[in-house]
């Protein structure tokens, strides 16, 4: 697969919707004054007030502008290429599964630490786990466009790297660098959540998790209804459509074409055969 992508989000509805939600939801929640609802710690929100719904909405929005900017730039730079690799429907299912697995593991981890070691870990809000779950397939399956080598052999007299001091940098380096920054805005908490997301990404894309995108067939009608795309996996040969054209119509059209090929047209029979000289004269006298 080529790593050169078209500008914008052409033919990439899932990643474009993800980017719009990353930018738009924090703005909407801020205007409505709902941002405090996205703070989470086991004590007091769960242990005293039983607000389990906070776990469900925890991955919906980032709390500060720097995280929003970094996430949007990462998707726009290279992560959108994953939708081109897997397809929009499968990408939609991957996002749902990454959200679900991160929800389960973060809930179990915070529960285990609180009731075993009486340690109340702060969980930052935002789709850290989802983005870092996509970081693994990006680093493995998206090819590099170029690699630039910087030779510092003659720049210094020190020989820390031996006789040659060559630093190779590819076009993927800014993405790795931005992912490193994104894992640290909330300190240790965001680093833990990001590491969990990356670990889930490894397990999922290595087919080591029980549920995969093939298990979410019930999401197909929802996706087609949202995107207004037509499903081509319909039962029945007579009702099957391809690119909006009925198969019976295709068959009848093919039959007509074959019949026309077998029987010469009346127009061809009525037209007399002309010599090469007549054809040349006819060309210049029209």
């Amino acid at each position: 697969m080529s790593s050169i992508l078209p500008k914008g989000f052409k033919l990439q509805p899932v990643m474009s919707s993800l980017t719009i939600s990353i930018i738009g939801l924090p703005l909407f929640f801020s205007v409505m004054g709902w941002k405090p609802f996205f703070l989470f710690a086991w004590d007091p929100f769960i242990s005293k007030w039983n607000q389990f719904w906070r776990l469900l909405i925890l991955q919906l929005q980032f709390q500060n502008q720097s995280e929003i900017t970094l996430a949007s730039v990462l998707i726009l730079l290279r992560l959108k290429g994953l939708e081109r690799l897997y397809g929009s429907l499968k990408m939609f299912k991957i996002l749902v599964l990454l959200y679900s697995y991160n929800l389960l593991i973060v809930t179990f981890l915070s529960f285990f630490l609180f009731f075993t070691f009486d340690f109340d870990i702060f969980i930052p809000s935002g789709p850290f786990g989802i983005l870092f779950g996509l970081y693994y397939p990006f680093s493995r399956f998206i090819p590099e466009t170029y690699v630039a080598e910087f030779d510092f052999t003659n720049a210094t007299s020190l020989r820390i790297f031996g006789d040659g001091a060559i630093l190779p940098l590819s076009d993927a380096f800014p993405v790795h660098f931005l992912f490193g920054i994104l894992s640290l805005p909330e300190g240790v908490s965001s680093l833990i959540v990001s590491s969990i997301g990356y670990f889930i990404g490894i397990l999922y894309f290595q087919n080591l998790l029980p549920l995969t995108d093939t298990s979410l067939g019930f999401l197909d009608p929802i996706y087609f209804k949202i995107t207004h795309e037509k499903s081509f996996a319909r039962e029945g040969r007579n009702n099957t459509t391809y690119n909006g054209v009925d198969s019976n119509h295709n068959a009848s059209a093919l039959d007509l074409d074959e019949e026309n090929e077998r029987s010469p047209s009346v127009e061809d029979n009525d037209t007399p055969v002309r010599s090469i000289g007549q054809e040349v004269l006819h060309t210049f006298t029209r």
Side-chain angles (χ1 to χ4, degrees):
M1 189 193 96
S2 173
S3 61
I4 301 177
L5 300 175
K7 295 181 179 180
F9 293 96
K10 186 177 181 181
L11 301 178
Q12 296 169 333
V14 176
M15 299 308 287
S16 64
S17 301
L18 178 62
T19 307
I20 292 172
S21 63
I22 287 176
I23 299 173
L25 287 180
L27 179 61
F28 173 75
F29 294 140
S30 178
V31 172
M32 299 299 295
W34 294 347
K35 276 205 166 185
F37 294 149
F38 292 87
L39 298 175
F40 177 79
W42 199 270
D43 184 26
F45 299 116
I46 303 297
S47 61
K48 295 182 181 179
W49 302 335
N50 296 324
Q51 296 180 350
F52 291 96
W53 51 267
R54 289 180 180 266
L55 289 167
L56 298 176
I57 66 173
L58 192 60
Q59 301 181 68
L60 294 184
Q61 64 109 33
F62 288 111
Q63 286 285 59
N64 58 65
Q65 291 81 1
S66 62
E67 297 167 352
I68 297 172
T69 303
L70 287 172
S72 304
V73 170
L74 283 171
I75 296 175
L76 183 60
L77 279 180
R78 299 297 288 276
L79 290 185
K80 66 178 183 178
L82 293 173
E83 184 173 353
R84 186 185 176 196
L85 176 65
Y86 293 111
S88 298
L89 177 58
K90 185 172 182 177
M91 195 71 227
F92 173 68
K93 295 179 181 179
I94 289 174
L95 294 180
V96 172
L97 286 170
L98 290 178
Y99 166 84
S100 303
Y101 280 123
N102 277 280
L103 173 64
L104 291 175
I105 294 182
V106 168
T107 302
F108 173 78
L109 178 64
S110 58
F111 173 84
F112 177 78
L113 292 177
F114 182 77
F115 286 98
T116 304
F117 302 101
D118 197 22
F119 180 73
D120 191 12
I121 183 174
F122 168 73
I123 305 296
S125 66
F128 289 97
I130 296 176
L131 292 177
F132 276 86
L134 298 176
Y135 180 41
Y136 172 75
F138 159 77
S139 59
R140 181 174 180 183
F141 302 122
I142 300 297
E144 299 175 345
T145 305
Y146 63 86
V147 176
E149 293 185 350
F150 297 89
D151 191 353
F152 298 98
T153 304
N154 299 324
T156 176
S157 59
L158 299 177
R159 292 293 181 264
I160 301 177
F161 302 100
D163 295 334
I166 299 176
L167 178 63
L169 294 177
S170 69
D171 61 316
F173 172 75
V175 180
H176 300 311
F177 180 73
L178 292 177
F179 264 112
I181 297 177
L182 184 61
S183 65
L184 299 174
E186 302 291 344
V188 179
S189 299
S190 60
L191 182 61
I192 292 175
V193 176
S194 302
S195 301
I196 291 174
Y198 184 73
F199 180 69
I200 291 174
I202 294 176
L203 295 179
Y204 176 79
F205 291 100
Q206 292 287 346
N207 297 321
L208 298 176
L209 293 177
L211 289 179
T212 60
D213 57 281
T214 56
S215 305
L216 302 181
F218 63 92
L219 292 178
D220 294 4
I222 300 175
Y223 170 81
F224 292 124
K225 187 175 182 179
I226 294 175
T227 58
H228 303 288
E229 294 183 8
K230 294 183 179 181
S231 174
F232 299 109
R234 298 177 183 175
E235 296 182 358
R237 180 178 178 182
N238 295 331
N239 296 329
T240 303
T241 60
Y242 300 94
N243 296 326
V245 181
D246 194 282
S247 59
N248 292 330
H249 180 74
N250 285 340
S252 60
L254 290 175
D255 293 339
L256 289 175
D257 291 339
E258 293 176 359
E259 184 177 352
N260 291 333
E261 290 177 0
R262 288 194 300 265
S263 60
S265 62
V266 177
E267 183 179 359
D268 292 339
N269 293 333
D270 294 339
T271 303
V273 179
R274 293 181 293 188
S275 62
I276 298 178
Q278 291 175 334
E279 288 286 344
V280 173
L281 290 176
H282 179 71
T283 303
F284 291 100
T285 57
R286 280 189 301 177

